Amino acid sequence: MTHPVAAKGQPRKYPFVNMRIADNSVLDTIEGRHSCRHCNRSRKFFCYNCYVPVGKLVNLLPLVELPLQIDIIKHKKEIDGKSTAAHAAVLAPHNVRIHTYPDIPDYRQEDGVVLIFPSATSLTVPQLFERDVRLNIDDNYGLPKGHHMGTMLRRRMDEIVGETEPTQSPRCYTFGNLPVRRAVFIDSTWNQSRSIYADERVRALRTVVLQNRLSQFWRHQRGSPRWYLATIEAIHQFVLEMHVNAWGLNAAYRGLDNLEITEGFHLLAAPLTVVAPADCEEPESPYNGQYDNLLYFFSSMYDLIHKYYDHNDLISYRRPI
């Protein structure tokens, strides 16, 4: 995918270059609004209450097959039309479901469920696959003594790669035997997410933290650094990490070049990078953009925002790293 608009102001890297995102220029041609076939509400591209496309997009959207199930717990104060959580439910309808808190399942009754949330006991995705890595917590993540990082996270989390990798033969993974069957995401502001995390149905879950990646979301959240991802970005990052650790990374794939993911991700991915056909996108083959279409709407909206606003003038992109 290439940037459809000439850059304005200072030169910048287009984050989605070389990603395998389907041509979304059709979104620019849609005029007016259409009725949702389920609730009859008037919508532009999709219904963010029923999570279905509307109008001619019904037969045009790319559908994404994910290697596991995704649950999104949405805070009731989150504005449906502004949340990116709906993108996942529309583009991966067979793998994503959205719940509005407090109407959520009791995850304590299900095996293989993790919560994507930073806590003092969080694991990383490579650790789920029993790779020799650990989180660097030597300075308490830069927090004052006595503060708990799970409720006051302000610094990026870094990983340290061990000197040795396991000597046993690598396990052969399929969509059916990954170490995670369902991942739960909280769609809310940071302050709202803490109240949801306090619920025992959620708090009992193992927590997983993602590799640091700078957000390209254009909406500013006060007090949040650049690496607080929009929900759809976080889902893409998680399934990307899961896929790379299970099946490797295609050496020909260049879609990660401008995503501004921490160097730790690339160090951990290096020994898993394999030579494979440049056009191979089979589900259990080395990562070659299989989940990039999760960003189908997100990248289009990013382009639209940058048609009217200079990147360097938007507060969201001037947040601290």
Side-chain angles (χ1 to χ4, degrees), residues 89-118:
V90 172
L91 295 166
H94 302 300
N95 301 108
V96 178
R97 60 184 187 180
I98 298 178
H99 306 280
T100 301
Y101 188 80
D103 184 15
I104 64 173
D106 189 342
Y107 294 107
R108 294 172 295 184
Q109 301 175 3
E110 183 179 351
D111 294 330
V113 183
V114 298
L115 174 68
I116 311 304
F117 192 82

mmCIF file of all heavy atoms in Angstrom, residues 89-118:
data_model
loop_
_atom_site.group_PDB
_atom_site.id
_atom_site.type_symbol
_atom_site.label_atom_id
_atom_site.label_comp_id
_atom_site.label_asym_id
_atom_site.label_seq_id
_atom_site.Cartn_x
_atom_site.Cartn_y
_atom_site.Cartn_z
ATOM 1 N N ALA A 89 -14.345 -6.086 14.559
ATOM 2 C CA ALA A 89 -15.550 -6.912 14.486
ATOM 3 C C ALA A 89 -16.112 -6.965 13.064
ATOM 4 O O ALA A 89 -16.665 -7.988 12.643
ATOM 5 C CB ALA A 89 -16.600 -6.376 15.450
ATOM 6 N N VAL A 90 -15.970 -5.880 12.313
ATOM 7 C CA VAL A 90 -16.483 -5.835 10.942
ATOM 8 C C VAL A 90 -15.577 -6.617 9.994
ATOM 9 O O VAL A 90 -16.061 -7.343 9.115
ATOM 10 C CB VAL A 90 -16.618 -4.375 10.468
ATOM 11 C CG1 VAL A 90 -16.966 -4.307 8.977
ATOM 12 C CG2 VAL A 90 -17.681 -3.649 11.281
ATOM 13 N N LEU A 91 -14.260 -6.496 10.192
ATOM 14 C CA LEU A 91 -13.303 -7.098 9.261
ATOM 15 C C LEU A 91 -12.954 -8.545 9.609
ATOM 16 O O LEU A 91 -12.496 -9.298 8.748
ATOM 17 C CB LEU A 91 -12.027 -6.254 9.220
ATOM 18 C CG LEU A 91 -12.209 -4.844 8.643
ATOM 19 C CD1 LEU A 91 -11.003 -3.971 8.961
ATOM 20 C CD2 LEU A 91 -12.436 -4.918 7.127
ATOM 21 N N ALA A 92 -13.160 -8.930 10.849
ATOM 22 C CA ALA A 92 -12.903 -10.325 11.262
ATOM 23 C C ALA A 92 -14.113 -10.846 12.027
ATOM 24 O O ALA A 92 -14.022 -11.186 13.212
ATOM 25 C CB ALA A 92 -11.637 -10.396 12.110
ATOM 26 N N PRO A 93 -15.264 -10.915 11.379
ATOM 27 C CA PRO A 93 -16.514 -11.222 12.090
ATOM 28 C C PRO A 93 -16.561 -12.615 12.715
ATOM 29 O O PRO A 93 -17.324 -12.847 13.648
ATOM 30 C CB PRO A 93 -17.584 -11.074 10.994
ATOM 31 C CG PRO A 93 -16.844 -11.314 9.707
ATOM 32 C CD PRO A 93 -15.482 -10.737 9.926
ATOM 33 N N HIS A 94 -15.759 -13.541 12.200
ATOM 34 C CA HIS A 94 -15.788 -14.904 12.731
ATOM 35 C C HIS A 94 -14.888 -15.075 13.956
ATOM 36 O O HIS A 94 -14.945 -16.131 14.610
ATOM 37 C CB HIS A 94 -15.372 -15.903 11.647
ATOM 38 C CG HIS A 94 -16.235 -15.856 10.420
ATOM 39 N ND1 HIS A 94 -17.591 -16.104 10.462
ATOM 40 C CD2 HIS A 94 -15.940 -15.559 9.125
ATOM 41 C CE1 HIS A 94 -18.100 -15.988 9.236
ATOM 42 N NE2 HIS A 94 -17.124 -15.648 8.421
ATOM 43 N N ASN A 95 -14.094 -14.063 14.243
ATOM 44 C CA ASN A 95 -13.119 -14.199 15.331
ATOM 45 C C ASN A 95 -13.244 -13.140 16.420
ATOM 46 O O ASN A 95 -12.572 -13.243 17.450
ATOM 47 C CB ASN A 95 -11.693 -14.138 14.771
ATOM 48 C CG ASN A 95 -11.416 -15.214 13.755
ATOM 49 O OD1 ASN A 95 -11.303 -14.939 12.566
ATOM 50 N ND2 ASN A 95 -11.315 -16.451 14.199
ATOM 51 N N VAL A 96 -14.068 -12.122 16.202
ATOM 52 C CA VAL A 96 -14.109 -10.990 17.128
ATOM 53 C C VAL A 96 -15.527 -10.792 17.653
ATOM 54 O O VAL A 96 -16.497 -10.813 16.888
ATOM 55 C CB VAL A 96 -13.629 -9.692 16.441
ATOM 56 C CG1 VAL A 96 -13.719 -8.515 17.411
ATOM 57 C CG2 VAL A 96 -12.196 -9.854 15.945
ATOM 58 N N ARG A 97 -15.636 -10.590 18.954
ATOM 59 C CA ARG A 97 -16.917 -10.215 19.545
ATOM 60 C C ARG A 97 -16.666 -9.076 20.533
ATOM 61 O O ARG A 97 -15.595 -8.990 21.144
ATOM 62 C CB ARG A 97 -17.589 -11.406 20.220
ATOM 63 C CG ARG A 97 -16.791 -12.047 21.357
ATOM 64 C CD ARG A 97 -17.480 -13.282 21.905
ATOM 65 N NE ARG A 97 -16.801 -13.788 23.101
ATOM 66 C CZ ARG A 97 -17.193 -14.858 23.794
ATOM 67 N NH1 ARG A 97 -18.268 -15.535 23.405
ATOM 68 N NH2 ARG A 97 -16.527 -15.251 24.876
ATOM 69 N N ILE A 98 -17.656 -8.205 20.687
ATOM 70 C CA ILE A 98 -17.531 -7.021 21.531
ATOM 71 C C ILE A 98 -18.587 -7.075 22.628
ATOM 72 O O ILE A 98 -19.764 -7.334 22.362
ATOM 73 C CB ILE A 98 -17.684 -5.735 20.699
ATOM 74 C CG1 ILE A 98 -16.560 -5.658 19.651
ATOM 75 C CG2 ILE A 98 -17.651 -4.500 21.600
ATOM 76 C CD1 ILE A 98 -16.637 -4.438 18.744
ATOM 77 N N HIS A 99 -18.154 -6.821 23.868
ATOM 78 C CA HIS A 99 -19.053 -6.782 25.020
ATOM 79 C C HIS A 99 -18.988 -5.384 25.635
ATOM 80 O O HIS A 99 -17.917 -4.768 25.671
ATOM 81 C CB HIS A 99 -18.641 -7.806 26.078
ATOM 82 C CG HIS A 99 -18.519 -9.208 25.560
ATOM 83 N ND1 HIS A 99 -19.605 -10.024 25.357
ATOM 84 C CD2 HIS A 99 -17.423 -9.927 25.196
ATOM 85 C CE1 HIS A 99 -19.188 -11.194 24.903
ATOM 86 N NE2 HIS A 99 -17.872 -11.165 24.805
ATOM 87 N N THR A 100 -20.104 -4.911 26.123
ATOM 88 C CA THR A 100 -20.127 -3.635 26.826
ATOM 89 C C THR A 100 -20.164 -3.905 28.335
ATOM 90 O O THR A 100 -21.065 -4.589 28.824
ATOM 91 C CB THR A 100 -21.345 -2.790 26.414
ATOM 92 O OG1 THR A 100 -21.288 -2.556 25.005
ATOM 93 C CG2 THR A 100 -21.336 -1.446 27.149
ATOM 94 N N TYR A 101 -19.173 -3.397 29.027
ATOM 95 C CA TYR A 101 -19.068 -3.619 30.467
ATOM 96 C C TYR A 101 -20.253 -2.975 31.197
ATOM 97 O O TYR A 101 -20.665 -1.879 30.828
ATOM 98 C CB TYR A 101 -17.752 -3.012 30.976
ATOM 99 C CG TYR A 101 -17.451 -3.341 32.413
ATOM 100 C CD1 TYR A 101 -16.903 -4.572 32.761
ATOM 101 C CD2 TYR A 101 -17.741 -2.432 33.421
ATOM 102 C CE1 TYR A 101 -16.653 -4.887 34.082
ATOM 103 C CE2 TYR A 101 -17.495 -2.745 34.745
ATOM 104 C CZ TYR A 101 -16.951 -3.971 35.069
ATOM 105 O OH TYR A 101 -16.713 -4.283 36.370
ATOM 106 N N PRO A 102 -20.856 -3.649 32.185
ATOM 107 C CA PRO A 102 -20.407 -4.868 32.874
ATOM 108 C C PRO A 102 -20.982 -6.176 32.329
ATOM 109 O O PRO A 102 -20.843 -7.215 32.978
ATOM 110 C CB PRO A 102 -20.909 -4.622 34.299
ATOM 111 C CG PRO A 102 -22.189 -3.872 34.104
ATOM 112 C CD PRO A 102 -21.972 -2.982 32.909
ATOM 113 N N ASP A 103 -21.624 -6.139 31.178
ATOM 114 C CA ASP A 103 -22.216 -7.354 30.611
ATOM 115 C C ASP A 103 -21.140 -8.141 29.868
ATOM 116 O O ASP A 103 -21.001 -8.050 28.641
ATOM 117 C CB ASP A 103 -23.368 -6.988 29.676
ATOM 118 C CG ASP A 103 -24.098 -8.208 29.133
ATOM 119 O OD1 ASP A 103 -23.901 -9.305 29.700
ATOM 120 O OD2 ASP A 103 -24.828 -8.068 28.138
ATOM 121 N N ILE A 104 -20.339 -8.909 30.608
ATOM 122 C CA ILE A 104 -19.211 -9.635 30.035
ATOM 123 C C ILE A 104 -19.235 -11.088 30.519
ATOM 124 O O ILE A 104 -19.853 -11.405 31.534
ATOM 125 C CB ILE A 104 -17.864 -8.987 30.427
ATOM 126 C CG1 ILE A 104 -17.653 -9.065 31.945
ATOM 127 C CG2 ILE A 104 -17.798 -7.544 29.933
ATOM 128 C CD1 ILE A 104 -16.269 -8.611 32.394
ATOM 129 N N PRO A 105 -18.544 -11.975 29.802
ATOM 130 C CA PRO A 105 -18.469 -13.377 30.252
ATOM 131 C C PRO A 105 -17.601 -13.487 31.509
ATOM 132 O O PRO A 105 -16.805 -12.594 31.827
ATOM 133 C CB PRO A 105 -17.799 -14.091 29.069
ATOM 134 C CG PRO A 105 -17.904 -13.151 27.913
ATOM 135 C CD PRO A 105 -17.911 -11.779 28.494
ATOM 136 N N ASP A 106 -17.732 -14.616 32.187
ATOM 137 C CA ASP A 106 -16.847 -14.924 33.299
ATOM 138 C C ASP A 106 -15.692 -15.744 32.729
ATOM 139 O O ASP A 106 -15.802 -16.957 32.542
ATOM 140 C CB ASP A 106 -17.586 -15.722 34.377
ATOM 141 C CG ASP A 106 -16.759 -15.867 35.641
ATOM 142 O OD1 ASP A 106 -15.531 -15.658 35.576
ATOM 143 O OD2 ASP A 106 -17.338 -16.196 36.691
ATOM 144 N N TYR A 107 -14.595 -15.070 32.445
ATOM 145 C CA TYR A 107 -13.474 -15.725 31.777
ATOM 146 C C TYR A 107 -12.761 -16.735 32.668
ATOM 147 O O TYR A 107 -11.943 -17.518 32.167
ATOM 148 C CB TYR A 107 -12.489 -14.670 31.273
ATOM 149 C CG TYR A 107 -13.068 -13.792 30.187
ATOM 150 C CD1 TYR A 107 -13.423 -12.473 30.453
ATOM 151 C CD2 TYR A 107 -13.268 -14.284 28.903
ATOM 152 C CE1 TYR A 107 -13.962 -11.660 29.458
ATOM 153 C CE2 TYR A 107 -13.804 -13.486 27.904
ATOM 154 C CZ TYR A 107 -14.150 -12.175 28.183
ATOM 155 O OH TYR A 107 -14.689 -11.380 27.201
ATOM 156 N N ARG A 108 -13.054 -16.726 33.946
ATOM 157 C CA ARG A 108 -12.421 -17.688 34.848
ATOM 158 C C ARG A 108 -12.851 -19.113 34.529
ATOM 159 O O ARG A 108 -12.201 -20.077 34.945
ATOM 160 C CB ARG A 108 -12.782 -17.344 36.302
ATOM 161 C CG ARG A 108 -12.208 -16.029 36.795
ATOM 162 C CD ARG A 108 -12.751 -15.646 38.158
ATOM 163 N NE ARG A 108 -14.191 -15.379 38.120
ATOM 164 C CZ ARG A 108 -14.887 -14.951 39.168
ATOM 165 N NH1 ARG A 108 -14.290 -14.737 40.319
ATOM 166 N NH2 ARG A 108 -16.199 -14.730 39.045
ATOM 167 N N GLN A 109 -13.928 -19.248 33.782
ATOM 168 C CA GLN A 109 -14.464 -20.572 33.465
ATOM 169 C C GLN A 109 -13.959 -21.115 32.127
ATOM 170 O O GLN A 109 -14.397 -22.172 31.671
ATOM 171 C CB GLN A 109 -15.997 -20.512 33.452
ATOM 172 C CG GLN A 109 -16.598 -20.056 34.768
ATOM 173 C CD GLN A 109 -18.112 -19.901 34.692
ATOM 174 O OE1 GLN A 109 -18.724 -20.191 33.675
ATOM 175 N NE2 GLN A 109 -18.718 -19.443 35.783
ATOM 176 N N GLU A 110 -13.033 -20.400 31.494
ATOM 177 C CA GLU A 110 -12.545 -20.797 30.173
ATOM 178 C C GLU A 110 -11.021 -20.902 30.196
ATOM 179 O O GLU A 110 -10.331 -20.041 30.730
ATOM 180 C CB GLU A 110 -12.994 -19.763 29.128
ATOM 181 C CG GLU A 110 -12.605 -20.113 27.704
ATOM 182 C CD GLU A 110 -13.106 -19.072 26.702
ATOM 183 O OE1 GLU A 110 -13.887 -18.187 27.099
ATOM 184 O OE2 GLU A 110 -12.711 -19.156 25.526
ATOM 185 N N ASP A 111 -10.487 -21.963 29.608
ATOM 186 C CA ASP A 111 -9.033 -22.156 29.538
ATOM 187 C C ASP A 111 -8.453 -21.393 28.351
ATOM 188 O O ASP A 111 -9.129 -21.141 27.358
ATOM 189 C CB ASP A 111 -8.702 -23.642 29.390
ATOM 190 C CG ASP A 111 -9.086 -24.455 30.622
ATOM 191 O OD1 ASP A 111 -9.052 -23.879 31.731
ATOM 192 O OD2 ASP A 111 -9.423 -25.639 30.459
ATOM 193 N N GLY A 112 -7.176 -21.052 28.467
ATOM 194 C CA GLY A 112 -6.461 -20.456 27.342
ATOM 195 C C GLY A 112 -6.806 -19.017 27.058
ATOM 196 O O GLY A 112 -6.620 -18.543 25.932
ATOM 197 N N VAL A 113 -7.279 -18.278 28.066
ATOM 198 C CA VAL A 113 -7.657 -16.880 27.868
ATOM 199 C C VAL A 113 -6.614 -15.975 28.531
ATOM 200 O O VAL A 113 -6.183 -16.230 29.661
ATOM 201 C CB VAL A 113 -9.049 -16.582 28.473
ATOM 202 C CG1 VAL A 113 -9.458 -15.142 28.183
ATOM 203 C CG2 VAL A 113 -10.079 -17.551 27.916
ATOM 204 N N VAL A 114 -6.210 -14.926 27.831
ATOM 205 C CA VAL A 114 -5.295 -13.935 28.398
ATOM 206 C C VAL A 114 -5.895 -12.542 28.230
ATOM 207 O O VAL A 114 -6.727 -12.319 27.346
ATOM 208 C CB VAL A 114 -3.895 -13.975 27.744
ATOM 209 C CG1 VAL A 114 -3.231 -15.329 27.964
ATOM 210 C CG2 VAL A 114 -3.979 -13.631 26.257
ATOM 211 N N LEU A 115 -5.467 -11.645 29.076
ATOM 212 C CA LEU A 115 -5.876 -10.242 29.007
ATOM 213 C C LEU A 115 -4.696 -9.416 28.536
ATOM 214 O O LEU A 115 -3.606 -9.507 29.110
ATOM 215 C CB LEU A 115 -6.338 -9.766 30.385
ATOM 216 C CG LEU A 115 -6.665 -8.272 30.523
ATOM 217 C CD1 LEU A 115 -7.923 -7.928 29.723
ATOM 218 C CD2 LEU A 115 -6.835 -7.890 31.993
ATOM 219 N N ILE A 116 -4.890 -8.625 27.501
ATOM 220 C CA ILE A 116 -3.826 -7.746 27.017
ATOM 221 C C ILE A 116 -3.862 -6.485 27.860
ATOM 222 O O ILE A 116 -4.676 -5.583 27.649
ATOM 223 C CB ILE A 116 -3.992 -7.420 25.518
ATOM 224 C CG1 ILE A 116 -4.220 -8.704 24.716
ATOM 225 C CG2 ILE A 116 -2.770 -6.659 25.008
ATOM 226 C CD1 ILE A 116 -3.143 -9.752 24.878
ATOM 227 N N PHE A 117 -2.975 -6.442 28.843
ATOM 228 C CA PHE A 117 -3.000 -5.360 29.821
ATOM 229 C C PHE A 117 -1.685 -5.366 30.589
ATOM 230 O O PHE A 117 -1.210 -6.421 31.000
ATOM 231 C CB PHE A 117 -4.166 -5.578 30.802
ATOM 232 C CG PHE A 117 -4.486 -4.397 31.674
ATOM 233 C CD1 PHE A 117 -5.272 -3.359 31.191
ATOM 234 C CD2 PHE A 117 -3.992 -4.313 32.968
ATOM 235 C CE1 PHE A 117 -5.577 -2.271 31.995
ATOM 236 C CE2 PHE A 117 -4.290 -3.232 33.774
ATOM 237 C CZ PHE A 117 -5.088 -2.201 33.282
ATOM 238 N N PRO A 118 -1.066 -4.190 30.764
ATOM 239 C CA PRO A 118 0.209 -4.149 31.494
ATOM 240 C C PRO A 118 -0.001 -4.262 32.999
ATOM 241 O O PRO A 118 -0.771 -3.508 33.582
ATOM 242 C CB PRO A 118 0.772 -2.774 31.114
ATOM 243 C CG PRO A 118 -0.434 -1.934 30.845
ATOM 244 C CD PRO A 118 -1.458 -2.870 30.249
#
